[in-house]
Amino acid sequence: MHEKIIILDFGSKTTQMIGRRIRELNTYCEIIPYNQFPDDDTHIKGVILSGSPCSVNDPNAFITDTERLRKKYPLLGIGYGTQLLAHLSGGKVESNKSHEYKRTHLSYILQDELFKGIHTGTQVWMSHRDTITGLPESFEVTASTDNVKIAAYRIQGEKTWGVQFHPEVFQTEDGTLLLDNFLKICDCRKDWTPASFIESTVQNLKKQIGDDKVILALSGGVDSSVTAVLLNRAIGRNLTCIFVDHGLLRKHEFENVLKDYEHLGLNVIGVDAKDKFYRELAGVIDPEQKRKIIGKGFIDVFNEEANKLTGIKWLGQGTIYPDVIESLSLTGTVIKSHHNVGGLPEKMKLKLVEPLRLLFKDEVRRVGKELGINPQLIKRHPFPGPGLGVRILSDITPEKVHILQEVDDIFISLLREWGLYDKVWQAGAILLPIRSVGVIGDERTYENAVALRAVNSIDAMTADWAQLPYDFMAKVSNEIIHKVKGVNRVVYDISSKPPATIEWE
């Protein structure tokens, strides 16, 4: 078992980012609700208290027993966590008339263990509405800005620190160095690597599954692909993968992905279910209804194929760590299911095995690379489960799917050709439910309009539209209009999330 850092989540939007930064420093960490500190503290090397939208002065403020933690582990408060430590020890935290959400610079730094190598003038990101105005005895200021005297402190005689700014965000210049200094204070070995994860996971899977058989739904995406290869290493032919073509995949994707999986030595059943999905989706326009039909249809097909097999006891899933975190509220209540194929474990009376449930998305990619999976599979953009079904903004027909596949193929192929694919987080095309007048040659046309969408993001919670070069966009538009019969107009979506979503449906 790896040593670990515990991150107590008080509801900050950047808590996951703290976890990712710690993992990037080759140290395993777990994010848990502030009031659910584990009874088994074996292997815990230190604790981080996250930020929060709450105020420590609120009647219903999130509180944890910091006194107990201080006596046992090195402790780092960030934002709200910093204020909470001070508040519970008798310090003074007051509402700031002008809330600080901005870049600023440290005007004073005490060169101690936490700030080793960090110098005055370094940029930090402040995001707080309350300010610590008075520190308890034994608390010592270790950093200040022009506006905030107590930007950081330490408790003398303890391994406890608090920083008002956010070291986890990219706007803080030496944030990673500060977190690395904290890991050194915790005496972490920093041995959490893709190779060590693979070794320990394969061993654990062998113990967990034994000689039982497992089925796994493949999507062609990175999560399910890495899950399949890990399981294959652990149990070999006792793993059966099912890849369903619902007729809403990208051009030639079914055939190409099956070839990729064949090279990986996986036992894969490919199921062509296009006609079933087209039939059930005929005339349906409402996007939520489309999703339900596609989801139910997938479960039906998967279940039908699984019932042809014997001795299956486990369902493999590509659940990743953000899914696990988001499936719990701060009180531990399940607020949404993270199951990729919701309902299947109960319906089929199977046990779940989720080898990636401790990994962030970028870690999944690194593990995939270490496993030797085709880079094109590892670096694939996210693709919605309902596929092109939610990129056709009207009823779905085979003809519309064909048009969108051709448009999408030109867009994605040219992104690769121009060296832009890996610089964009997600890209795709949308078939709009409108037609417009155009001219091709000497003839008037009245054809479909398509929208192109390309965004950059870290975790899909927020996204900015990608500012692709004008000459590239001109090339894409020209290729689409002249090569795809049925399209005479191309537009580019420049909406960010929020307020828009990444997908249109």
Side-chain angles (χ1 to χ4, degrees):
M1 178 66 185
H2 289 276
E3 61 187 18
K4 59 188 173 185
I5 297 292
I6 292 293
I7 301 169
L8 290 183
D9 181 17
F10 290 87
S12 170
K13 291 180 180 178
T14 61
T15 301
Q16 284 194 35
M17 204 169 290
I18 300 172
R20 291 182 60 190
R21 294 288 174 264
I22 297 297
R23 296 279 187 90
E24 286 167 3
L25 292 165
N26 294 334
T27 301
Y28 177 63
C29 64
E30 290 181 8
I31 298 171
I32 60 177
Y34 72 94
N35 56 357
Q36 296 182 38
F37 198 86
D39 293 328
D40 179 9
D41 61 0
T42 313
H43 307 297
I44 297 176
K45 302 289 286 185
V47 179
I48 295 176
L49 311 179
S50 84
S52 174
C54 299
S55 167
V56 295
N57 296 313
D58 290 344
N60 298 316
F62 297 150
I63 304 292
T64 196
D65 185 359
T66 58
E67 192 71 29
R68 169 176 159 244
L69 297 176
R70 282 168 52 185
K71 290 176 180 176
K72 228 174 168 185
Y73 314 100
L75 199 59
L76 174 63
I78 296 176
Y80 175 89
T82 298
Q83 296 170 3
L84 183 66
L85 282 165
H87 173 71
L88 294 179
S89 297
K92 197 170 184 181
V93 180
E94 297 182 288
S95 179
N96 193 348
K97 291 179 181 177
S98 58
H99 300 174
E100 260 201 328
Y101 303 104
K102 65 178 183 179
R103 293 177 175 89
T104 186
H105 297 84
L106 297 179
S107 56
Y108 164 75
I109 292 177
L110 175 66
Q111 285 288 329
D112 67 354
E113 293 173 87
L114 189 68
F115 282 93
K116 187 175 181 180
I118 302 173
H119 305 287
T120 55
T122 191
Q123 177 180 284
V124 297
W125 177 258
M126 289 287 190
S127 176
H128 61 104
R129 55 176 176 157
D130 290 353
T131 299
I132 302 171
T133 56
L135 285 177
E137 287 185 25
S138 79
F139 282 57
E140 179 182 12
V141 176
T142 55
S144 304
T145 71
D146 289 340
N147 293 334
V148 179
K149 180 184 177 183
I150 307 170
Y153 61 71
R154 68 181 180 187
I155 303 179
Q156 295 171 341
E158 296 183 19
K159 292 185 176 182
T160 302
W161 283 261
V163 293
Q164 184 59 69
F165 56 89
H166 287 266
E168 71 273 20
V169 301
F170 73 89
Q171 293 96 334
T172 296
E173 290 175 338
D174 289 323
T176 300
L177 176 56
L178 186 144
L179 293 172
D180 192 31
N181 286 340
F182 180 66
L183 297 181
K184 289 174 182 172
I185 291 167
C186 296
D187 196 28
C188 292
R189 291 192 305 270
K190 298 169 67 175
D191 58 358
W192 172 258
T193 63
S196 68
F197 171 81
I198 292 167
E199 182 182 359
S200 62
T201 300
V202 169
Q203 289 176 356
N204 290 336
L205 287 171
K206 287 179 178 178
K207 291 178 186 175
Q208 181 183 10
I209 298 169
D211 293 327
D212 292 347
K213 293 183 179 179
V214 180
I215 53 169
L216 170 72
L218 288 175
S219 68
V222 60
D223 298 338
S224 67
S225 299
V226 173
T227 298
V229 175
L230 279 171
L231 284 166
N232 187 51
R233 283 207 177 181
I235 62 173
R237 300 300 288 183
N238 276 348
L239 170 69
T240 300
C241 303
I242 298 174
F243 183 34
V244 178
D245 182 2
H246 49 31
L248 302 166
L249 299 173
R250 285 177 156 148
K251 184 179 179 181
H252 300 318
E253 185 169 22
F254 185 62
E255 298 80 7
N256 292 339
V257 171
L258 282 178
K259 285 179 185 175
D260 285 333
Y261 287 143
E262 187 179 328
H263 292 154
L264 290 170
L266 298 178
N267 177 26
V268 183
I269 298 171
V271 184
D272 181 352
K274 290 192 289 288
D275 291 343
K276 168 187 169 62
F277 283 87
Y278 290 155
R279 185 171 61 252
E280 294 179 358
L281 288 165
V284 177
I285 295 174
D286 178 71
E288 188 59 25
Q289 193 178 353
K290 285 184 195 174
R291 287 179 179 275
K292 287 179 179 177
I293 290 170
I294 295 168
K296 182 182 181 301
F298 177 84
I299 289 176
D300 290 343
V301 172
F302 187 88
N303 194 27
E304 184 181 338
E305 292 299 320
N307 283 333
K308 297 175 184 176
L309 307 171
T310 57
I312 302 294
K313 294 186 178 179
W314 296 83
L315 174 68
Q317 288 194 163
T319 308
I320 62 175
Y321 200 37
D323 301 326
V324 176
I325 297 168
E326 289 169 6
S327 69
L328 292 177
S329 70
L330 290 180
T331 59
T333 305
V334 175
I335 54 176
K336 74 171 184 180
S337 170
H338 65 264
H339 290 160
N340 302 7
V341 281
L344 271 177
E346 296 82 4
K347 184 173 183 176
M348 300 176 67
K349 295 183 173 61
L350 297 176
K351 294 180 283 186
L352 273 177
V353 56
E354 301 169 306
L356 303 183
R357 64 181 285 112
L358 297 178
L359 298 188
F360 290 101
K361 190 76 169 188
D362 47 352
E363 293 177 307
V364 176
R365 295 186 195 281
R366 291 202 293 272
V367 167
K369 183 179 179 183
E370 184 75 22
L371 287 166
I373 298 175
N374 184 332
Q376 192 158 311
L377 264 179
I378 295 302
K379 294 182 178 180
R380 276 194 61 187
H381 290 173
F383 189 64
L388 301 180
V390 291
R391 293 183 179 176
I392 296 173
L393 308 190
S394 60
D395 62 314
I396 295 170
T397 66
E399 293 75 24
K400 289 178 182 177
V401 172
H402 174 73
I403 289 173
L404 189 54
Q405 284 177 332
E406 294 298 323
V407 170
D408 179 86
D409 184 60
I410 290 171
F411 186 27
I412 298 300
S413 296
L414 285 174
L415 281 169
R416 293 188 189 280
E417 187 180 312
W418 283 56
L420 296 169
Y421 184 85
D422 292 336
K423 296 178 181 178
V424 171
W425 192 77
Q426 182 173 343
I430 301 96
L431 183 63
L432 303 179
I434 55 174
R435 292 190 173 191
S436 66
V437 174
V439 177
I440 294 182
D442 293 327
E443 294 185 5
R444 174 187 183 277
T445 62
Y446 188 61
E447 302 287 7
N448 296 286
V450 295
L452 304 181
R453 180 82 159 134
V455 298
N456 286 311
S457 179
I458 294 175
D459 53 12
M461 299 299 289
T462 61
D464 292 322
W465 62 277
Q467 299 185 35
L468 300 173
Y470 285 155
D471 50 349
F472 168 78
M473 297 303 296
K475 173 73 172 176
V476 172
S477 176
N478 188 59
E479 290 274 310
I480 290 171
I481 290 171
H482 286 89
K483 289 186 176 180
V484 183
K485 187 177 180 181
V487 176
N488 69 356
R489 190 174 299 272
V490 177
V491 299
Y492 187 52
D493 182 352
I494 59 169
S495 312
S496 293
K497 176 185 179 181
T501 52
I502 295 175
E503 297 294 340
W504 281 40
E505 287 192 343

